[in-house]
Amino acid sequence: MVFHCGETWSPDNESENNANYSDAKYIEDLAIKFKDVNFIGSHLNWPDFDNIFALCEKYKNVFTCISGCLDALDRNERDNQVKNTIEILNRYLKKYPNLKNKLMYGTDFFSDDLAFIDVSDYIKIVEALELSESEKQTILCTKSYWGKNNI
């Protein structure tokens, strides 16, 4: 089950306040009550990372994804977002060791704009993480990880 978590995007590239219940902290009661259901708190719960990463560490059925973390149209600003996201994730991977097993690749923007269609920046984020190649492949769900018989 996927939940929107974190800030709400607006067309003028200014983040709005979180929508009601869009903070990952609201997933905890569900994760406890429904242990056989996997919950994904999307967007790293931007910018309240601790809320989702602590849940990922604590509960086997809570995950997060990097979708929607890059919304800049300007190349320089987008490069800064990529760098910032890498730094955030590497810092939290040290604090929450199990996060490497709970982090998922994802994008969620749909647009005609090439900045949103091109997912290479999301892949750059995963490739730059301070993880083994096998762990990166797990996040990306690539064929080399899953093997041709498991796809």
Side-chain angles (χ1 to χ4, degrees):
M1 185 168 276
V2 180
F3 286 87
H4 174 274
C5 290
E7 296 174 325
T8 304
W9 182 82
S10 67
D12 60 4
N13 275 346
E14 294 297 323
S15 294
E16 301 292 330
N17 292 329
N18 289 358
N20 289 341
Y21 305 106
S22 69
D23 191 294
K25 66 185 177 185
Y26 296 108
I27 296 173
E28 185 166 21
D29 289 340
L30 297 169
I32 293 167
K33 186 172 182 176
F34 301 101
K35 291 179 168 83
D36 293 333
V37 176
N38 288 333
F39 296 94
I40 302 168
S42 61
H43 316 309
L44 307 178
N45 199 54
W46 201 283
D48 299 317
F49 311 108
D50 264 316
N51 289 348
I52 189 62
F53 296 155
L55 291 175
C56 287
E57 190 73 16
K58 188 173 181 180
Y59 300 103
K60 70 175 189 158
N61 59 337
V62 178
F63 301 82
T64 191
C65 68
I66 62 173
S67 68
C69 293
L70 307 176
D71 61 1
L73 296 175
D74 175 76
R75 184 73 250 172
N76 289 333
E77 186 179 343
R78 192 166 174 102
D79 287 343
N80 285 333
Q81 287 180 329
V82 169
K83 181 181 177 212
N84 187 33
T85 304
I86 292 166
E87 289 171 359
I88 289 164
L89 287 171
N90 280 327
R91 184 172 63 247
Y92 278 97
L93 282 161
K94 289 179 178 106
K95 183 175 180 177
Y96 297 110
N98 198 38
L99 181 58
K100 67 184 177 187
N101 301 313
K102 302 303 197 83
L103 187 59
M104 301 169 64
Y105 165 83
T107 67
D108 73 345
F109 284 111
F110 53 93
S111 172
D112 299 24
D113 195 298
L114 291 177
F116 293 130
I117 294 171
D118 181 5
V119 299
S120 63
D121 286 331
Y122 284 94
I123 294 169
K124 281 183 203 173
I125 290 170
V126 176
E127 289 175 344
L129 296 177
E130 295 170 4
L131 297 171
S132 71
E133 285 306 309
S134 176
E135 291 163 337
K136 293 174 190 178
Q137 298 303 317
T138 299
I139 293 169
L140 291 171
C141 294
T142 61
K143 289 182 180 183
S144 62
Y145 170 76
W146 291 105
K148 62 183 175 184
N149 295 327
N150 296 323
I151 302 176

